[in-house]
Amino acid sequence: MPQASTTRWSNWAGNQGARPARVVAPASTAELAKEILRAAEEGHRVKAVGSGHSFTAIASAQDAVLIRPTGLTAVRELDRRAGTVTVESGLPLATLNRLLAAAGLALTNMGDIEVQTVAGATSTGTHGTGRDSGSLAAQLRAVEIVLADGTVRTCSPTENPELFQGSRLGLGALGVVSALTFGVEPAFLLTAHEQPMRFAEVLDRFEELATVNEHFEFYWFPHTELCSTKRNNRSQGPARPLPPLKAWLEDDFLSNTVWDGACRIGRRFPAAVPAIAQLAGRAWSERTYTDAAYKVFTSPRKVRFIEMEYAVPRDAATAVLRELKALIERSGWRISFPVEVRIAPADDLWLSTANGRDSVYIAVHLYRGTAEQGYFTEVERLMTAHRGRPHWGKLHTRDAEYLASVYPRFGEFTALRDRIDPDRLFANDYLRRVLGG
Ligand SMILES: Cc1cc2nc3c(=O)[nH]c(=O)nc-3n(C[C@H](O)[C@H](O)[C@H](O)COP(=O)(O)OP(=O)(O)OC[C@H]3O[C@@H](n4cnc5c(N)ncnc54)[C@H](O)[C@@H]3O)c2cc1C
């Protein structure tokens, strides 16, 4: 068993921290089960963490036994006939993408980054944008999970289906996931077409752009009329990646190093933010490239920020976005980070932000250390007026009462939790707030 130690944990954004009672890194499901039983016997709670990329305190292991993901990273099985890959829960998505690519396979859809662990990403409903394909959790075919009593359960649509419904997007509230089986498909290329567009045009054409393209998203730069749109569609090839120097210059140097400098100036001199936004909005030029899907879906994000993201019903999205723009314009806030807008089809995961309804994600960000100015508070008021559902890993202030009113299957999840974790071994303050005790 790896040596236990105690250290302070903090998340990627640096806005959440915890001092665990003990930190362990089990190297097998059996070791994980032993650690869970030991913690329970000692009266400690248990919290598994991924890569710490949630902005909320969902992964906080304050006074608990913190389970590190580093020992559980094996690939268990790649079943080409079934079109599945089974991996341990701590495997980073980036590693999964590369090993799938080497085998000529790929995940169907992804979020913006690939540094999260597979269990960390799926547990909060991490998503990208997609007309037909949903979140990472929606791509799961089976889950192996260790429960509070130390039992190891596997579940799928046909085996323990209720547990499967809950645990593929379980917020870490039902147990510690030890392995996940994803559906995979033959590797494919995506052609990305990035194009600057005016806000009014994007909204007027939103339904067309979201329907015609397999993966449509856009960024709007507050204090301007400027948007950067991105359309990703499958391609027969050939691959035409960006030349390495151009890719580094635009996706790393400009998007990270220069952008970080611009945000610092905006934080220090808020009056400069509208001018910075104009420059940033214009810096995004039109470009087209074709590459392996995971390289098109994801890019490095080095500038530290905090984020709130709500899923609203798709048919309300353009009205919400117009209200959001009007809100920012009349507020006097200075917002340097663009607003990101993505799409998801309805799915059936109990706690998915897209459960039972076609959804549009609207995400607002603040550069680290920027005064909140009421931005997140007012945006949240707008989103909740439209029955918005907050991303579980991004900042929000909702409680169980509100969440029960916008998730039709919320009661089934909490009933399952009551049955399999009655003593709340896997609870923390965040889960008590959002799930109600
Ligand atoms: C720069 C950046 C970009 C992002 N981009 C996107 C995006 O494009 N789309 C999107 O939807 N989100 C995005 N996010 C949010 C992020 O994907 C989620 O918050 C995700 O949950 C983080 O994964 P993680 O591995 O860091 O998990 P953590 O944040 O460490 O943990 C998240 C949850 O998973 C639980 N967990 C971890 N491992 C286990 C396990 N083995 N068993 C049970 N529970 C477990 C934890 O207890 C916690 O509840 C982004 C975040 C950042 C910082």
Side-chain angles (χ1 to χ4, degrees):
M1 186 89 50
Q3 199 50 48
S5 65
T6 307
T7 48
R8 194 175 151 72
W9 170 92
S10 61
N11 67 345
W12 174 88
N15 65 324
Q16 306 289 347
R19 192 168 291 285
R22 188 166 68 237
V23 178
V24 295
S28 67
T29 304
E31 280 187 17
L32 171 61
K34 266 190 214 154
E35 288 293 354
I36 289 174
L37 284 176
R38 188 175 147 214
E41 277 161 22
E42 291 172 353
H44 288 308
R45 296 193 192 283
V46 174
K47 188 52 54 192
V49 301
S51 71
H53 273 62
S54 295
F55 299 92
T56 57
I58 191 167
S60 170
Q62 182 63 39
D63 300 324
V65 173
L66 184 155
I67 312 271
R68 272 202 189 287
T70 45
L72 288 169
T73 56
V75 177
R76 290 206 186 150
E77 190 187 16
L78 213 166
D79 185 339
R80 285 177 187 279
R81 221 157 50 93
T84 58
V85 63
T86 301
V87 298
E88 290 185 338
S89 55
L91 190 73
L93 282 166
T95 314
L96 176 60
N97 282 333
R98 277 150 194 78
L99 78 88
L100 287 176
L105 298 168
L107 294 171
T108 301
N109 200 354
M110 301 217 50
D112 288 342
I113 56 167
E114 55 170 0
V115 299
Q116 309 97 316
T117 64
V118 289
T122 52
S123 293
T124 64
T126 296
H127 62 88
T129 190
R131 179 187 63 197
D132 318 303
S133 53
S135 70
L136 285 160
Q139 296 170 53
L140 287 174
R141 301 287 171 266
V143 176
E144 181 187 272
I145 182 167
V146 185
L147 302 181
D149 62 4
T151 56
V152 181
R153 292 273 181 81
T154 52
C155 56
S156 70
T158 51
E159 183 183 6
N160 297 315
E162 224 192 1
L163 183 60
F164 181 63
Q165 279 294 37
S167 63
R168 46 188 179 147
L169 199 171
L171 317 183
L174 302 178
V176 179
V177 172
S178 42
L180 292 169
T181 301
F182 287 91
V184 293
E185 57 175 302
F188 59 97
L189 295 170
L190 283 176
T191 294
H193 180 202
E194 296 173 14
Q195 187 184 24
M197 219 181 258
R198 309 288 289 180
F199 183 83
E201 185 187 355
V202 181
L203 290 210
D204 288 348
R205 293 180 54 198
F206 185 74
E207 268 311 308
E208 172 216 325
L209 291 163
T211 306
V212 168
N213 295 293
E214 289 167 292
H215 307 274
F216 175 70
E217 67 182 303
F218 72 93
Y219 292 89
W220 167 59
F221 295 85
H223 315 296
T224 78
E225 301 297 322
L226 306 171
C227 293
S228 168
T229 63
K230 186 171 182 185
R231 291 166 243 194
N232 296 335
N233 289 290
R234 290 187 186 219
S235 157
Q236 294 306 312
R240 284 190 213 287
L242 290 170
L245 184 62
K246 185 174 167 68
W248 171 80
L249 183 72
E250 293 176 359
D251 294 339
D252 198 343
F253 184 65
L254 286 177
S255 302
N256 288 306
T257 314
V258 173
W259 181 233
D260 192 53
C263 289
R264 270 170 201 271
I265 294 171
R267 187 177 61 188
R268 179 90 172 77
F269 305 104
V273 166
I276 292 172
Q278 285 288 347
L279 281 175
R282 286 174 206 287
W284 258 261
S285 53
E286 186 160 1
R287 57 184 198 167
T288 302
Y289 52 95
T290 302
D291 210 339
Y294 74 92
K295 295 186 188 168
V296 173
F297 285 133
T298 66
S299 58
R301 301 285 158 107
K302 297 178 186 163
V303 181
R304 304 281 162 142
F305 56 85
I306 55 169
E307 179 175 351
M308 166 184 284
E309 181 177 59
Y310 267 82
V312 297
R314 179 158 157 177
D315 52 16
T318 51
V320 175
L321 284 161
R322 287 193 175 95
E323 285 182 58
L324 174 62
K325 186 165 184 282
L327 177 64
I328 293 176
E329 280 166 3
R330 68 172 178 264
S331 67
W333 304 323
R334 292 291 174 254
I335 310 302
S336 56
F337 251 80
V339 173
E340 185 177 18
V341 181
R342 293 179 280 182
I343 294 153
D347 65 37
D348 67 345
L349 288 82
W350 286 348
L351 293 189
S352 165
T353 39
N355 178 280
R357 68 186 196 195
D358 291 339
S359 301
V360 169
Y361 293 102
I362 301 174
V364 295
H365 315 71
L366 282 171
Y367 181 60
R368 64 171 167 184
T370 306
E372 200 266 347
Q373 314 161 67
Y375 182 38
F376 282 11
T377 308
E378 291 303 319
V379 170
E380 188 167 36
R381 204 190 306 276
L382 169 61
M383 299 299 164
T384 54
H386 291 272
R387 297 179 54 73
R389 297 171 180 162
H391 189 303
W392 299 102
K394 302 188 184 179
L395 295 173
H396 68 93
T397 65
R398 298 299 87 197
D399 63 11
E401 190 186 347
Y402 174 83
L403 294 163
S405 76
V406 292
Y407 281 95
R409 317 298 294 272
F410 192 80
E412 283 156 90
F413 185 89
T414 52
L416 174 65
R417 180 181 184 228
D418 287 344
R419 275 201 305 284
I420 63 176
D421 187 18
D423 299 326
R424 303 292 191 250
L425 186 69
F426 303 109
N428 60 14
D429 285 348
Y430 176 86
L431 292 182
R432 275 186 278 274
R433 167 161 70 87
V434 299
L435 295 176

